[in-house]
Amino acid sequence: MADGEKQTLVGGLRAVELYYRAVREIASGNVAFYQSQTRLNTPDIGVLMPENFRDVAEITSQCISLFRLELVQALEAHNKFKEREVNFNWLSVYMPPTYLKDGTCEKNLMDYFMRFEVPTNRICFALSEKLLEETDGVAAKTMGRLRNKGFHFMLTGFGGNSCPMMRLSDFPVDYVMLSPEVSNYIGRDERSDNAVKSIVGFVSDMGADAIADGVMNSKQAETLFGFECPYCTGSLVGKYMQERYIRRRSED
């Protein structure tokens, strides 16, 4: 296999394993997208969740090697979902913001997509709020060029307590996944609801679609729809699951 594609096993499991959860369109209730979550299976300390390894990986070039493994799995999953006739617009894979500053980024991505015969618009690159710390313009310019090739970008964790919201205007993202903190404000009082409505409106004004995370019940979803938030995910929609369990709705 090519560099970055070798998958090692730990106890019979992939060392790097992607799980997927649905993102639903609130108006119809249909699955619109699938968001992936990476878990590391380690021989000594078991399964590591993203919050346990992302920050450490992104201090070094290890995050780039990890991204290549994640991308390959996402492309493989896309093709398996297609074989099963699973309906979705795209599935996401996490991309470290520093990868956007790699001079070979565009070429390498196109090589992967050609090799797996996946259209560029079928994968959405999920970026953490660390993207908003990039100030030299390189990442934003690369995103613009990749969007012209059909790729999607989704900023995650937006609207949390530590998120510099105004920096969103510097980056051409297609989707903004709101922090679960935002959904938690719904229904507290009128001022809280107005704050959530303002965040959704701000995202829309930036030319992106908002995706609410952490949605726990239909009341929250209805309120978000009233605020013109088109998509949601969270416990109301369903949990992360392994690729092999993703099937057409009629087969569930």
Side-chain angles (χ1 to χ4, degrees):
M1 304 180 81
D3 179 45
E5 294 179 30
K6 185 177 181 180
Q7 300 279 2
T8 57
L9 300 179
V10 174
L13 301 174
R14 278 178 160 174
V16 176
E17 187 170 17
L18 267 59
Y19 282 60
Y20 304 87
R21 69 173 177 177
V23 175
R24 294 194 184 276
E25 183 182 50
I26 298 176
S28 66
N30 295 330
V31 173
F33 322 117
Y34 282 98
Q35 181 186 16
S36 73
Q37 180 193 72
T38 305
R39 303 181 187 184
L40 301 185
N41 297 309
T42 69
D44 299 321
I45 54 179
V47 179
L48 294 180
M49 304 298 283
E51 59 268 24
N52 301 129
F53 64 82
R54 285 286 184 211
D55 288 345
V56 175
E58 293 187 15
I59 294 174
T60 69
S61 60
Q62 183 182 15
C63 65
I64 305 299
S65 299
L66 182 58
F67 168 67
R68 291 172 180 154
L69 292 172
E70 293 168 300
L71 178 59
V72 167
Q73 275 198 47
L75 293 170
E76 291 174 341
H78 170 277
N79 289 339
K80 290 176 182 177
F81 292 168
K82 184 179 178 181
E83 290 172 1
R84 298 174 195 154
E85 299 182 335
V86 175
N87 295 318
F88 64 99
N89 294 327
W90 50 251
L91 61 86
S92 77
V93 60
Y94 179 83
M95 174 187 281
T98 54
Y99 188 68
L100 292 165
K101 304 175 78 169
D102 185 323
T104 64
C105 166
E106 295 173 64
K107 180 183 182 303
N108 289 340
L109 287 176
M110 294 306 298
D111 287 346
Y112 277 113
F113 278 74
M114 289 179 64
R115 189 182 313 156
F116 285 89
E117 299 181 333
V118 174
T120 55
N121 64 356
R122 298 286 284 175
I123 295 291
C124 180
F125 295 117
L127 298 154
S128 74
E129 65 272 21
K130 288 184 178 180
L131 172 70
L132 303 180
E133 299 173 6
E134 298 291 336
T135 58
D136 59 11
V138 175
K141 290 178 181 177
T142 302
M143 289 172 67
R145 292 193 298 270
L146 289 172
R147 289 180 78 227
N148 288 337
K149 295 180 184 294
F151 293 105
H152 301 300
F153 288 93
M154 175 176 66
L155 179 69
T156 62
F158 189 74
N161 292 333
S162 60
C163 178
M165 292 177 56
M166 295 303 295
R167 294 297 318 284
L168 179 63
S169 62
D170 293 337
F171 300 94
V173 298
D174 303 278
Y175 302 90
V176 173
M177 180 167 282
L178 308 180
S179 167
E181 296 173 41
V182 176
S183 296
N184 287 339
Y185 273 91
I186 295 173
R188 290 185 181 183
D189 52 43
E190 184 177 357
R191 287 172 61 86
S192 296
D193 283 355
N194 286 338
V196 175
K197 184 178 181 179
S198 296
I199 292 173
V200 173
F202 178 72
V203 169
S204 179
D205 289 344
M206 292 296 103
D209 286 331
I211 301 173
D213 192 5
V215 177
M216 297 180 289
N217 54 63
S218 58
K219 176 68 173 177
Q220 289 178 323
E222 290 168 5
T223 301
L224 285 160
F225 183 68
F227 294 163
E228 300 185 1
C229 176
Y231 306 106
C232 74
T233 191
S235 59
L236 174 67
V237 176
K239 62 183 180 179
Y240 284 102
M241 61 182 67
Q242 292 167 302
E243 164 267 309
R244 64 179 179 270
Y245 295 119
I246 305 292
R247 292 286 189 276
R248 288 182 61 182
R249 202 170 186 177
S250 59
E251 298 175 4
D252 289 346

